[in-house]
Amino acid sequence: MIKKERGKMYKVSDEGAFVEISLLSPISAISLKVDHQNPKIRSKLKKILGQGVPSVESHTKHGQISLCWISNDELLLLNETEEKKDLLKKIRKELSNTHSLVENVTDMRAWFLIEGEGSIDLLRKGVPKDFSRLDLSSKNFFRSRLGEVQVNILIKSYEQVVISVLRSVQGYTSQWLKQCSQKGSEISFDL
């Protein structure tokens, strides 16, 4: 899901940071407002995407497509394939006779990549979640707050985290991350 191509990332953190933070180019995202507990819809999604529906606070991945649990009636599809428009049309067509809303939300969000040993420590500064019980085998995608803004958080590993925020708060989030990533501001907790 994260391509480090030249020109696709903008470095946010300073030289004095204990983690590296980058602003990623937009990740193709589709919001699926559906009753994903409905077996008929689950079956259709599996047929289209080649993967099952994720459980609470997790995501599933098949090739270059990730399906993330947002809430009981919303999923977020992250897509790196070249057939972005075709996939959106295919999903809309397949779900057309169901109670659903399928929208391209790519331009609504800004994406940040946090890398380094202190990635989880940085989250601890502003996310109201107990990371001491973090289990990456099952709970790795969730919606929360970072500072004063709503974020989606995908924890890829203890040293690599991707967060997304509404584009309208990108500047605030960038400054918050920059300030909280300065050396000397680390939080020392054992996982």
Side-chain angles (χ1 to χ4, degrees), residues 1 29-32 36 49 51-61 65-71 73-79 111 140-143 152-154:
M1 182 182 73
I30 299 172
S31 173
L32 304 168
H36 53 81
L49 304 173
Q51 61 187 306
V53 173
S55 59
V56 174
E57 292 192 345
S58 66
H59 84 289
T60 58
K61 187 167 175 73
I65 297 174
S66 295
L67 190 59
C68 306
W69 183 92
I70 295 288
S71 69
D73 66 349
E74 184 177 4
L75 299 169
L76 182 66
L77 186 137
L78 305 177
N79 179 11
W111 297 83
N140 57 358
F141 184 91
F142 54 93
R143 183 177 273 181
N152 292 328
I153 300 172
L154 173 60

PDB file of all heavy atoms in Angstrom, residues 1 29-32 36 49 51-61 65-71 73-79 111 140-143 152-154:
ATOM      1  N   MET A   1       0.811  -1.195   0.000  1.00  0.00           N
ATOM      2  CA  MET A   1       0.000   0.000   0.000  1.00  0.00           C
ATOM      3  C   MET A   1       0.853   1.256   0.000  1.00  0.00           C
ATOM      4  O   MET A   1       0.376   2.321  -0.284  1.00  0.00           O
ATOM      5  CB  MET A   1      -0.919  -0.001   1.209  1.00  0.00           C
ATOM      6  CG  MET A   1      -1.822   1.193   1.237  1.00  0.00           C
ATOM      7  SD  MET A   1      -2.880   1.271   2.643  1.00  0.00           S
ATOM      8  CE  MET A   1      -1.733   1.703   3.899  1.00  0.00           C
ATOM      9  N   ALA A  29      -9.019   5.748  -2.489  1.00  0.00           N
ATOM     10  CA  ALA A  29      -9.887   5.255  -1.429  1.00  0.00           C
ATOM     11  C   ALA A  29     -11.348   5.314  -1.852  1.00  0.00           C
ATOM     12  O   ALA A  29     -11.797   6.292  -2.453  1.00  0.00           O
ATOM     13  CB  ALA A  29      -9.679   6.073  -0.162  1.00  0.00           C
ATOM     14  N   ILE A  30     -12.077   4.249  -1.523  1.00  0.00           N
ATOM     15  CA  ILE A  30     -13.502   4.165  -1.808  1.00  0.00           C
ATOM     16  C   ILE A  30     -14.222   3.857  -0.501  1.00  0.00           C
ATOM     17  O   ILE A  30     -13.878   2.903   0.195  1.00  0.00           O
ATOM     18  CB  ILE A  30     -13.805   3.057  -2.844  1.00  0.00           C
ATOM     19  CG1 ILE A  30     -13.106   3.359  -4.172  1.00  0.00           C
ATOM     20  CG2 ILE A  30     -15.314   2.892  -3.034  1.00  0.00           C
ATOM     21  CD1 ILE A  30     -13.186   2.220  -5.175  1.00  0.00           C
ATOM     22  N   SER A  31     -15.205   4.682  -0.165  1.00  0.00           N
ATOM     23  CA  SER A  31     -16.026   4.449   1.017  1.00  0.00           C
ATOM     24  C   SER A  31     -17.212   3.583   0.621  1.00  0.00           C
ATOM     25  O   SER A  31     -17.902   3.867  -0.355  1.00  0.00           O
ATOM     26  CB  SER A  31     -16.528   5.786   1.584  1.00  0.00           C
ATOM     27  OG  SER A  31     -17.439   5.546   2.629  1.00  0.00           O
ATOM     28  N   LEU A  32     -17.417   2.511   1.389  1.00  0.00           N
ATOM     29  CA  LEU A  32     -18.532   1.596   1.142  1.00  0.00           C
ATOM     30  C   LEU A  32     -19.459   1.641   2.349  1.00  0.00           C
ATOM     31  O   LEU A  32     -19.138   1.083   3.397  1.00  0.00           O
ATOM     32  CB  LEU A  32     -18.034   0.160   0.945  1.00  0.00           C
ATOM     33  CG  LEU A  32     -17.001  -0.073  -0.156  1.00  0.00           C
ATOM     34  CD1 LEU A  32     -16.393  -1.445  -0.036  1.00  0.00           C
ATOM     35  CD2 LEU A  32     -17.660   0.103  -1.503  1.00  0.00           C
ATOM     36  N   HIS A  36     -22.351  -4.636   6.136  1.00  0.00           N
ATOM     37  CA  HIS A  36     -21.401  -5.698   5.807  1.00  0.00           C
ATOM     38  C   HIS A  36     -21.550  -6.931   6.693  1.00  0.00           C
ATOM     39  O   HIS A  36     -20.789  -7.887   6.567  1.00  0.00           O
ATOM     40  CB  HIS A  36     -19.959  -5.193   5.763  1.00  0.00           C
ATOM     41  CG  HIS A  36     -19.479  -4.463   6.972  1.00  0.00           C
ATOM     42  ND1 HIS A  36     -19.056  -5.090   8.097  1.00  0.00           N
ATOM     43  CD2 HIS A  36     -19.360  -3.142   7.198  1.00  0.00           C
ATOM     44  CE1 HIS A  36     -18.682  -4.187   8.985  1.00  0.00           C
ATOM     45  NE2 HIS A  36     -18.855  -2.991   8.464  1.00  0.00           N
ATOM     46  N   LEU A  49     -13.764  -8.417  -4.793  1.00  0.00           N
ATOM     47  CA  LEU A  49     -12.442  -8.044  -4.287  1.00  0.00           C
ATOM     48  C   LEU A  49     -11.502  -9.222  -4.050  1.00  0.00           C
ATOM     49  O   LEU A  49     -10.313  -9.027  -3.827  1.00  0.00           O
ATOM     50  CB  LEU A  49     -12.594  -7.244  -2.988  1.00  0.00           C
ATOM     51  CG  LEU A  49     -13.479  -6.001  -3.091  1.00  0.00           C
ATOM     52  CD1 LEU A  49     -13.693  -5.385  -1.722  1.00  0.00           C
ATOM     53  CD2 LEU A  49     -12.874  -5.000  -4.065  1.00  0.00           C
ATOM     54  N   GLN A  51     -11.484 -11.125  -1.446  1.00  0.00           N
ATOM     55  CA  GLN A  51     -11.123 -11.187  -0.028  1.00  0.00           C
ATOM     56  C   GLN A  51     -12.363 -11.029   0.830  1.00  0.00           C
ATOM     57  O   GLN A  51     -13.367 -10.482   0.397  1.00  0.00           O
ATOM     58  CB  GLN A  51     -10.123 -10.098   0.321  1.00  0.00           C
ATOM     59  CG  GLN A  51     -10.632  -8.684   0.090  1.00  0.00           C
ATOM     60  CD  GLN A  51      -9.562  -7.646   0.284  1.00  0.00           C
ATOM     61  OE1 GLN A  51      -8.927  -7.611   1.317  1.00  0.00           O
ATOM     62  NE2 GLN A  51      -9.358  -6.816  -0.722  1.00  0.00           N
ATOM     63  N   GLY A  52     -12.275 -11.536   2.042  1.00  0.00           N
ATOM     64  CA  GLY A  52     -13.391 -11.429   2.964  1.00  0.00           C
ATOM     65  C   GLY A  52     -13.468 -10.053   3.589  1.00  0.00           C
ATOM     66  O   GLY A  52     -12.575  -9.216   3.443  1.00  0.00           O
ATOM     67  N   VAL A  53     -14.565  -9.828   4.296  1.00  0.00           N
ATOM     68  CA  VAL A  53     -14.785  -8.569   5.003  1.00  0.00           C
ATOM     69  C   VAL A  53     -14.006  -8.619   6.318  1.00  0.00           C
ATOM     70  O   VAL A  53     -14.043  -9.617   7.026  1.00  0.00           O
ATOM     71  CB  VAL A  53     -16.297  -8.360   5.268  1.00  0.00           C
ATOM     72  CG1 VAL A  53     -16.540  -7.146   6.138  1.00  0.00           C
ATOM     73  CG2 VAL A  53     -17.038  -8.218   3.942  1.00  0.00           C
ATOM     74  N   PRO A  54     -13.282  -7.560   6.658  1.00  0.00           N
ATOM     75  CA  PRO A  54     -12.475  -7.570   7.892  1.00  0.00           C
ATOM     76  C   PRO A  54     -13.335  -7.524   9.147  1.00  0.00           C
ATOM     77  O   PRO A  54     -14.478  -7.068   9.125  1.00  0.00           O
ATOM     78  CB  PRO A  54     -11.627  -6.299   7.772  1.00  0.00           C
ATOM     79  CG  PRO A  54     -12.428  -5.400   6.885  1.00  0.00           C
ATOM     80  CD  PRO A  54     -13.171  -6.294   5.939  1.00  0.00           C
ATOM     81  N   SER A  55     -12.749  -7.988  10.240  1.00  0.00           N
ATOM     82  CA  SER A  55     -13.422  -7.903  11.527  1.00  0.00           C
ATOM     83  C   SER A  55     -13.167  -6.516  12.133  1.00  0.00           C
ATOM     84  O   SER A  55     -12.434  -5.700  11.570  1.00  0.00           O
ATOM     85  CB  SER A  55     -12.917  -9.001  12.463  1.00  0.00           C
ATOM     86  OG  SER A  55     -11.527  -8.871  12.650  1.00  0.00           O
ATOM     87  N   VAL A  56     -13.745  -6.268  13.284  1.00  0.00           N
ATOM     88  CA  VAL A  56     -13.636  -4.976  13.965  1.00  0.00           C
ATOM     89  C   VAL A  56     -12.166  -4.590  14.149  1.00  0.00           C
ATOM     90  O   VAL A  56     -11.336  -5.403  14.546  1.00  0.00           O
ATOM     91  CB  VAL A  56     -14.354  -5.033  15.334  1.00  0.00           C
ATOM     92  CG1 VAL A  56     -14.133  -3.756  16.123  1.00  0.00           C
ATOM     93  CG2 VAL A  56     -15.834  -5.304  15.142  1.00  0.00           C
ATOM     94  N   GLU A  57     -11.848  -3.336  13.845  1.00  0.00           N
ATOM     95  CA  GLU A  57     -10.515  -2.739  13.982  1.00  0.00           C
ATOM     96  C   GLU A  57      -9.415  -3.514  13.254  1.00  0.00           C
ATOM     97  O   GLU A  57      -8.296  -3.653  13.746  1.00  0.00           O
ATOM     98  CB  GLU A  57     -10.147  -2.565  15.457  1.00  0.00           C
ATOM     99  CG  GLU A  57     -10.995  -1.530  16.156  1.00  0.00           C
ATOM    100  CD  GLU A  57     -10.464  -1.145  17.515  1.00  0.00           C
ATOM    101  OE1 GLU A  57      -9.595  -1.849  18.065  1.00  0.00           O
ATOM    102  OE2 GLU A  57     -10.919  -0.123  18.037  1.00  0.00           O
ATOM    103  N   SER A  58      -9.734  -4.002  12.054  1.00  0.00           N
ATOM    104  CA  SER A  58      -8.706  -4.697  11.273  1.00  0.00           C
ATOM    105  C   SER A  58      -8.907  -4.412   9.786  1.00  0.00           C
ATOM    106  O   SER A  58      -9.789  -3.655   9.396  1.00  0.00           O
ATOM    107  CB  SER A  58      -8.756  -6.208  11.553  1.00  0.00           C
ATOM    108  OG  SER A  58      -9.959  -6.749  11.069  1.00  0.00           O
ATOM    109  N   HIS A  59      -8.069  -5.022   8.977  1.00  0.00           N
ATOM    110  CA  HIS A  59      -8.213  -4.906   7.530  1.00  0.00           C
ATOM    111  C   HIS A  59      -7.811  -6.226   6.882  1.00  0.00           C
ATOM    112  O   HIS A  59      -7.106  -7.030   7.492  1.00  0.00           O
ATOM    113  CB  HIS A  59      -7.405  -3.721   6.977  1.00  0.00           C
ATOM    114  CG  HIS A  59      -5.967  -3.999   6.710  1.00  0.00           C
ATOM    115  ND1 HIS A  59      -5.036  -4.192   7.703  1.00  0.00           N
ATOM    116  CD2 HIS A  59      -5.290  -4.125   5.545  1.00  0.00           C
ATOM    117  CE1 HIS A  59      -3.855  -4.403   7.164  1.00  0.00           C
ATOM    118  NE2 HIS A  59      -3.979  -4.375   5.852  1.00  0.00           N
ATOM    119  N   THR A  60      -8.302  -6.450   5.672  1.00  0.00           N
ATOM    120  CA  THR A  60      -7.891  -7.605   4.886  1.00  0.00           C
ATOM    121  C   THR A  60      -7.189  -7.081   3.651  1.00  0.00           C
ATOM    122  O   THR A  60      -7.431  -5.953   3.220  1.00  0.00           O
ATOM    123  CB  THR A  60      -9.096  -8.491   4.483  1.00  0.00           C
ATOM    124  OG1 THR A  60     -10.027  -7.686   3.741  1.00  0.00           O
ATOM    125  CG2 THR A  60      -9.782  -9.082   5.701  1.00  0.00           C
ATOM    126  N   LYS A  61      -6.318  -7.891   3.089  1.00  0.00           N
ATOM    127  CA  LYS A  61      -5.553  -7.455   1.926  1.00  0.00           C
ATOM    128  C   LYS A  61      -5.503  -8.578   0.911  1.00  0.00           C
ATOM    129  O   LYS A  61      -5.304  -9.738   1.262  1.00  0.00           O
ATOM    130  CB  LYS A  61      -4.140  -7.056   2.357  1.00  0.00           C
ATOM    131  CG  LYS A  61      -3.316  -6.439   1.245  1.00  0.00           C
ATOM    132  CD  LYS A  61      -2.066  -5.798   1.805  1.00  0.00           C
ATOM    133  CE  LYS A  61      -1.143  -5.280   0.748  1.00  0.00           C
ATOM    134  NZ  LYS A  61      -1.575  -4.101   0.071  1.00  0.00           N
ATOM    135  N   ILE A  65      -5.112  -4.448  -3.052  1.00  0.00           N
ATOM    136  CA  ILE A  65      -6.356  -3.905  -2.517  1.00  0.00           C
ATOM    137  C   ILE A  65      -6.482  -4.268  -1.039  1.00  0.00           C
ATOM    138  O   ILE A  65      -6.357  -5.435  -0.676  1.00  0.00           O
ATOM    139  CB  ILE A  65      -7.578  -4.433  -3.294  1.00  0.00           C
ATOM    140  CG1 ILE A  65      -7.512  -3.961  -4.753  1.00  0.00           C
ATOM    141  CG2 ILE A  65      -8.875  -3.988  -2.644  1.00  0.00           C
ATOM    142  CD1 ILE A  65      -8.582  -4.543  -5.638  1.00  0.00           C
ATOM    143  N   SER A  66      -6.704  -3.253  -0.208  1.00  0.00           N
ATOM    144  CA  SER A  66      -6.948  -3.464   1.220  1.00  0.00           C
ATOM    145  C   SER A  66      -8.373  -3.029   1.530  1.00  0.00           C
ATOM    146  O   SER A  66      -8.839  -2.008   1.032  1.00  0.00           O
ATOM    147  CB  SER A  66      -5.985  -2.629   2.075  1.00  0.00           C
ATOM    148  OG  SER A  66      -4.670  -3.061   1.891  1.00  0.00           O
ATOM    149  N   LEU A  67      -9.054  -3.819   2.356  1.00  0.00           N
ATOM    150  CA  LEU A  67     -10.403  -3.490   2.790  1.00  0.00           C
ATOM    151  C   LEU A  67     -10.346  -3.295   4.293  1.00  0.00           C
ATOM    152  O   LEU A  67      -9.955  -4.197   5.031  1.00  0.00           O
ATOM    153  CB  LEU A  67     -11.381  -4.607   2.416  1.00  0.00           C
ATOM    154  CG  LEU A  67     -12.862  -4.325   2.590  1.00  0.00           C
ATOM    155  CD1 LEU A  67     -13.291  -3.118   1.737  1.00  0.00           C
ATOM    156  CD2 LEU A  67     -13.675  -5.552   2.198  1.00  0.00           C
ATOM    157  N   CYS A  68     -10.697  -2.097   4.764  1.00  0.00           N
ATOM    158  CA  CYS A  68     -10.543  -1.718   6.164  1.00  0.00           C
ATOM    159  C   CYS A  68     -11.904  -1.531   6.838  1.00  0.00           C
ATOM    160  O   CYS A  68     -12.809  -0.934   6.267  1.00  0.00           O
ATOM    161  CB  CYS A  68      -9.773  -0.397   6.265  1.00  0.00           C
ATOM    162  SG  CYS A  68      -8.199  -0.410   5.391  1.00  0.00           S
ATOM    163  N   TRP A  69     -12.003  -2.019   8.073  1.00  0.00           N
ATOM    164  CA  TRP A  69     -13.221  -1.858   8.871  1.00  0.00           C
ATOM    165  C   TRP A  69     -13.224  -0.444   9.452  1.00  0.00           C
ATOM    166  O   TRP A  69     -12.286  -0.048  10.129  1.00  0.00           O
ATOM    167  CB  TRP A  69     -13.237  -2.885  10.000  1.00  0.00           C
ATOM    168  CG  TRP A  69     -14.478  -2.860  10.837  1.00  0.00           C
ATOM    169  CD1 TRP A  69     -15.594  -3.600  10.651  1.00  0.00           C
ATOM    170  CD2 TRP A  69     -14.722  -2.055  12.001  1.00  0.00           C
ATOM    171  NE1 TRP A  69     -16.518  -3.312  11.623  1.00  0.00           N
ATOM    172  CE2 TRP A  69     -16.019  -2.366  12.469  1.00  0.00           C
ATOM    173  CE3 TRP A  69     -13.981  -1.106  12.694  1.00  0.00           C
ATOM    174  CZ2 TRP A  69     -16.574  -1.767  13.583  1.00  0.00           C
ATOM    175  CZ3 TRP A  69     -14.538  -0.505  13.800  1.00  0.00           C
ATOM    176  CH2 TRP A  69     -15.821  -0.841  14.235  1.00  0.00           C
ATOM    177  N   ILE A  70     -14.269   0.312   9.178  1.00  0.00           N
ATOM    178  CA  ILE A  70     -14.417   1.658   9.733  1.00  0.00           C
ATOM    179  C   ILE A  70     -15.446   1.643  10.856  1.00  0.00           C
ATOM    180  O   ILE A  70     -15.223   2.151  11.939  1.00  0.00           O
ATOM    181  CB  ILE A  70     -14.846   2.676   8.648  1.00  0.00           C
ATOM    182  CG1 ILE A  70     -13.755   2.837   7.601  1.00  0.00           C
ATOM    183  CG2 ILE A  70     -15.207   4.013   9.251  1.00  0.00           C
ATOM    184  CD1 ILE A  70     -12.527   3.582   8.060  1.00  0.00           C
ATOM    185  N   SER A  71     -16.599   1.052  10.585  1.00  0.00           N
ATOM    186  CA  SER A  71     -17.672   0.958  11.577  1.00  0.00           C
ATOM    187  C   SER A  71     -18.595  -0.183  11.167  1.00  0.00           C
ATOM    188  O   SER A  71     -18.349  -0.857  10.168  1.00  0.00           O
ATOM    189  CB  SER A  71     -18.445   2.278  11.673  1.00  0.00           C
ATOM    190  OG  SER A  71     -19.186   2.492  10.488  1.00  0.00           O
ATOM    191  N   ASP A  73     -21.291  -0.102   9.729  1.00  0.00           N
ATOM    192  CA  ASP A  73     -21.951   0.092   8.433  1.00  0.00           C
ATOM    193  C   ASP A  73     -21.058   0.779   7.401  1.00  0.00           C
ATOM    194  O   ASP A  73     -21.534   1.328   6.424  1.00  0.00           O
ATOM    195  CB  ASP A  73     -23.253   0.875   8.604  1.00  0.00           C
ATOM    196  CG  ASP A  73     -23.024   2.307   9.074  1.00  0.00           C
ATOM    197  OD1 ASP A  73     -21.884   2.636   9.467  1.00  0.00           O
ATOM    198  OD2 ASP A  73     -23.983   3.093   9.046  1.00  0.00           O
ATOM    199  N   GLU A  74     -19.738   0.720   7.621  1.00  0.00           N
ATOM    200  CA  GLU A  74     -18.839   1.358   6.658  1.00  0.00           C
ATOM    201  C   GLU A  74     -17.516   0.608   6.560  1.00  0.00           C
ATOM    202  O   GLU A  74     -16.936   0.195   7.560  1.00  0.00           O
ATOM    203  CB  GLU A  74     -18.565   2.818   7.038  1.00  0.00           C
ATOM    204  CG  GLU A  74     -17.726   3.546   6.011  1.00  0.00           C
ATOM    205  CD  GLU A  74     -17.492   5.014   6.337  1.00  0.00           C
ATOM    206  OE1 GLU A  74     -17.925   5.473   7.403  1.00  0.00           O
ATOM    207  OE2 GLU A  74     -16.851   5.686   5.516  1.00  0.00           O
ATOM    208  N   LEU A  75     -17.069   0.462   5.317  1.00  0.00           N
ATOM    209  CA  LEU A  75     -15.750  -0.105   5.009  1.00  0.00           C
ATOM    210  C   LEU A  75     -15.000   0.912   4.164  1.00  0.00           C
ATOM    211  O   LEU A  75     -15.614   1.742   3.489  1.00  0.00           O
ATOM    212  CB  LEU A  75     -15.897  -1.416   4.226  1.00  0.00           C
ATOM    213  CG  LEU A  75     -16.638  -2.546   4.916  1.00  0.00           C
ATOM    214  CD1 LEU A  75     -16.943  -3.657   3.931  1.00  0.00           C
ATOM    215  CD2 LEU A  75     -15.820  -3.084   6.083  1.00  0.00           C
ATOM    216  N   LEU A  76     -13.687   0.859   4.203  1.00  0.00           N
ATOM    217  CA  LEU A  76     -12.856   1.731   3.376  1.00  0.00           C
ATOM    218  C   LEU A  76     -11.965   0.850   2.526  1.00  0.00           C
ATOM    219  O   LEU A  76     -11.212   0.028   3.057  1.00  0.00           O
ATOM    220  CB  LEU A  76     -12.006   2.662   4.251  1.00  0.00           C
ATOM    221  CG  LEU A  76     -11.125   3.663   3.505  1.00  0.00           C
ATOM    222  CD1 LEU A  76     -11.991   4.675   2.749  1.00  0.00           C
ATOM    223  CD2 LEU A  76     -10.197   4.382   4.474  1.00  0.00           C
ATOM    224  N   LEU A  77     -12.062   1.002   1.219  1.00  0.00           N
ATOM    225  CA  LEU A  77     -11.261   0.223   0.302  1.00  0.00           C
ATOM    226  C   LEU A  77     -10.087   1.071  -0.169  1.00  0.00           C
ATOM    227  O   LEU A  77     -10.285   2.172  -0.684  1.00  0.00           O
ATOM    228  CB  LEU A  77     -12.122  -0.202  -0.896  1.00  0.00           C
ATOM    229  CG  LEU A  77     -11.432  -1.135  -1.867  1.00  0.00           C
ATOM    230  CD1 LEU A  77     -12.392  -2.248  -2.277  1.00  0.00           C
ATOM    231  CD2 LEU A  77     -10.978  -0.386  -3.091  1.00  0.00           C
ATOM    232  N   LEU A  78      -8.879   0.596   0.046  1.00  0.00           N
ATOM    233  CA  LEU A  78      -7.664   1.274  -0.410  1.00  0.00           C
ATOM    234  C   LEU A  78      -7.148   0.502  -1.606  1.00  0.00           C
ATOM    235  O   LEU A  78      -6.930  -0.708  -1.524  1.00  0.00           O
ATOM    236  CB  LEU A  78      -6.633   1.326   0.710  1.00  0.00           C
ATOM    237  CG  LEU A  78      -7.108   1.953   2.022  1.00  0.00           C
ATOM    238  CD1 LEU A  78      -6.027   1.883   3.082  1.00  0.00           C
ATOM    239  CD2 LEU A  78      -7.566   3.376   1.803  1.00  0.00           C
ATOM    240  N   ASN A  79      -6.921   1.201  -2.716  1.00  0.00           N
ATOM    241  CA  ASN A  79      -6.654   0.542  -3.988  1.00  0.00           C
ATOM    242  C   ASN A  79      -5.394   1.097  -4.651  1.00  0.00           C
ATOM    243  O   ASN A  79      -5.301   2.291  -4.893  1.00  0.00           O
ATOM    244  CB  ASN A  79      -7.878   0.765  -4.895  1.00  0.00           C
ATOM    245  CG  ASN A  79      -7.738   0.150  -6.245  1.00  0.00           C
ATOM    246  OD1 ASN A  79      -6.832  -0.625  -6.515  1.00  0.00           O
ATOM    247  ND2 ASN A  79      -8.651   0.494  -7.130  1.00  0.00           N
ATOM    248  N   TRP A 111      -2.607  11.545   3.656  1.00  0.00           N
ATOM    249  CA  TRP A 111      -2.013  10.327   4.234  1.00  0.00           C
ATOM    250  C   TRP A 111      -0.587  10.593   4.685  1.00  0.00           C
ATOM    251  O   TRP A 111       0.211  11.162   3.943  1.00  0.00           O
ATOM    252  CB  TRP A 111      -2.027   9.216   3.189  1.00  0.00           C
ATOM    253  CG  TRP A 111      -3.409   8.822   2.785  1.00  0.00           C
ATOM    254  CD1 TRP A 111      -4.202   9.442   1.858  1.00  0.00           C
ATOM    255  CD2 TRP A 111      -4.173   7.749   3.319  1.00  0.00           C
ATOM    256  NE1 TRP A 111      -5.411   8.817   1.785  1.00  0.00           N
ATOM    257  CE2 TRP A 111      -5.426   7.765   2.664  1.00  0.00           C
ATOM    258  CE3 TRP A 111      -3.927   6.777   4.277  1.00  0.00           C
ATOM    259  CZ2 TRP A 111      -6.419   6.850   2.940  1.00  0.00           C
ATOM    260  CZ3 TRP A 111      -4.925   5.855   4.539  1.00  0.00           C
ATOM    261  CH2 TRP A 111      -6.149   5.897   3.884  1.00  0.00           C
ATOM    262  N   ASN A 140      -5.399  -3.977  13.712  1.00  0.00           N
ATOM    263  CA  ASN A 140      -4.362  -3.106  13.172  1.00  0.00           C
ATOM    264  C   ASN A 140      -4.887  -1.917  12.375  1.00  0.00           C
ATOM    265  O   ASN A 140      -4.116  -1.162  11.822  1.00  0.00           O
ATOM    266  CB  ASN A 140      -3.398  -3.916  12.319  1.00  0.00           C
ATOM    267  CG  ASN A 140      -4.109  -4.651  11.203  1.00  0.00           C
ATOM    268  OD1 ASN A 140      -5.320  -4.593  11.067  1.00  0.00           O
ATOM    269  ND2 ASN A 140      -3.349  -5.345  10.392  1.00  0.00           N
ATOM    270  N   PHE A 141      -6.201  -1.743  12.292  1.00  0.00           N
ATOM    271  CA  PHE A 141      -6.775  -0.582  11.620  1.00  0.00           C
ATOM    272  C   PHE A 141      -7.926  -0.074  12.470  1.00  0.00           C
ATOM    273  O   PHE A 141      -8.819  -0.836  12.834  1.00  0.00           O
ATOM    274  CB  PHE A 141      -7.305  -0.947  10.229  1.00  0.00           C
ATOM    275  CG  PHE A 141      -7.812   0.258   9.482  1.00  0.00           C
ATOM    276  CD1 PHE A 141      -6.966   0.983   8.661  1.00  0.00           C
ATOM    277  CD2 PHE A 141      -9.118   0.690   9.611  1.00  0.00           C
ATOM    278  CE1 PHE A 141      -7.416   2.113   7.986  1.00  0.00           C
ATOM    279  CE2 PHE A 141      -9.584   1.815   8.943  1.00  0.00           C
ATOM    280  CZ  PHE A 141      -8.726   2.514   8.137  1.00  0.00           C
ATOM    281  N   PHE A 142      -7.885   1.196  12.815  1.00  0.00           N
ATOM    282  CA  PHE A 142      -8.957   1.739  13.632  1.00  0.00           C
ATOM    283  C   PHE A 142      -9.081   3.235  13.419  1.00  0.00           C
ATOM    284  O   PHE A 142      -8.183   3.892  12.906  1.00  0.00           O
ATOM    285  CB  PHE A 142      -8.760   1.427  15.124  1.00  0.00           C
ATOM    286  CG  PHE A 142      -7.426   1.863  15.675  1.00  0.00           C
ATOM    287  CD1 PHE A 142      -7.284   3.101  16.278  1.00  0.00           C
ATOM    288  CD2 PHE A 142      -6.319   1.024  15.593  1.00  0.00           C
ATOM    289  CE1 PHE A 142      -6.066   3.505  16.786  1.00  0.00           C
ATOM    290  CE2 PHE A 142      -5.092   1.430  16.098  1.00  0.00           C
ATOM    291  CZ  PHE A 142      -4.966   2.667  16.696  1.00  0.00           C
ATOM    292  N   ARG A 143     -10.214   3.756  13.809  1.00  0.00           N
ATOM    293  CA  ARG A 143     -10.502   5.185  13.757  1.00  0.00           C
ATOM    294  C   ARG A 143     -10.380   5.728  15.170  1.00  0.00           C
ATOM    295  O   ARG A 143     -10.845   5.119  16.122  1.00  0.00           O
ATOM    296  CB  ARG A 143     -11.922   5.395  13.228  1.00  0.00           C
ATOM    297  CG  ARG A 143     -12.308   6.842  13.075  1.00  0.00           C
ATOM    298  CD  ARG A 143     -13.675   6.949  12.479  1.00  0.00           C
ATOM    299  NE  ARG A 143     -13.522   6.915  11.029  1.00  0.00           N
ATOM    300  CZ  ARG A 143     -14.521   7.012  10.177  1.00  0.00           C
ATOM    301  NH1 ARG A 143     -15.755   7.123  10.608  1.00  0.00           N
ATOM    302  NH2 ARG A 143     -14.311   6.998   8.891  1.00  0.00           N
ATOM    303  N   ASN A 152      -7.753   7.983  10.744  1.00  0.00           N
ATOM    304  CA  ASN A 152      -7.762   6.542  10.509  1.00  0.00           C
ATOM    305  C   ASN A 152      -6.317   6.104  10.679  1.00  0.00           C
ATOM    306  O   ASN A 152      -5.403   6.747  10.143  1.00  0.00           O
ATOM    307  CB  ASN A 152      -8.237   6.209   9.100  1.00  0.00           C
ATOM    308  CG  ASN A 152      -9.697   6.542   8.894  1.00  0.00           C
ATOM    309  OD1 ASN A 152     -10.495   6.468   9.810  1.00  0.00           O
ATOM    310  ND2 ASN A 152     -10.046   6.913   7.679  1.00  0.00           N
ATOM    311  N   ILE A 153      -6.091   5.020  11.409  1.00  0.00           N
ATOM    312  CA  ILE A 153      -4.735   4.563  11.695  1.00  0.00           C
ATOM    313  C   ILE A 153      -4.580   3.121  11.237  1.00  0.00           C
ATOM    314  O   ILE A 153      -5.356   2.251  11.638  1.00  0.00           O
ATOM    315  CB  ILE A 153      -4.420   4.670  13.199  1.00  0.00           C
ATOM    316  CG1 ILE A 153      -4.552   6.127  13.662  1.00  0.00           C
ATOM    317  CG2 ILE A 153      -3.029   4.118  13.504  1.00  0.00           C
ATOM    318  CD1 ILE A 153      -4.448   6.312  15.167  1.00  0.00           C
ATOM    319  N   LEU A 154      -3.600   2.879  10.389  1.00  0.00           N
ATOM    320  CA  LEU A 154      -3.243   1.537   9.943  1.00  0.00           C
ATOM    321  C   LEU A 154      -1.848   1.238  10.475  1.00  0.00           C
ATOM    322  O   LEU A 154      -0.880   1.877  10.068  1.00  0.00           O
ATOM    323  CB  LEU A 154      -3.255   1.437   8.413  1.00  0.00           C
ATOM    324  CG  LEU A 154      -2.740   0.136   7.805  1.00  0.00           C
ATOM    325  CD1 LEU A 154      -3.569  -1.061   8.281  1.00  0.00           C
ATOM    326  CD2 LEU A 154      -2.740   0.211   6.296  1.00  0.00           C
TER     327      LEU A 154
END
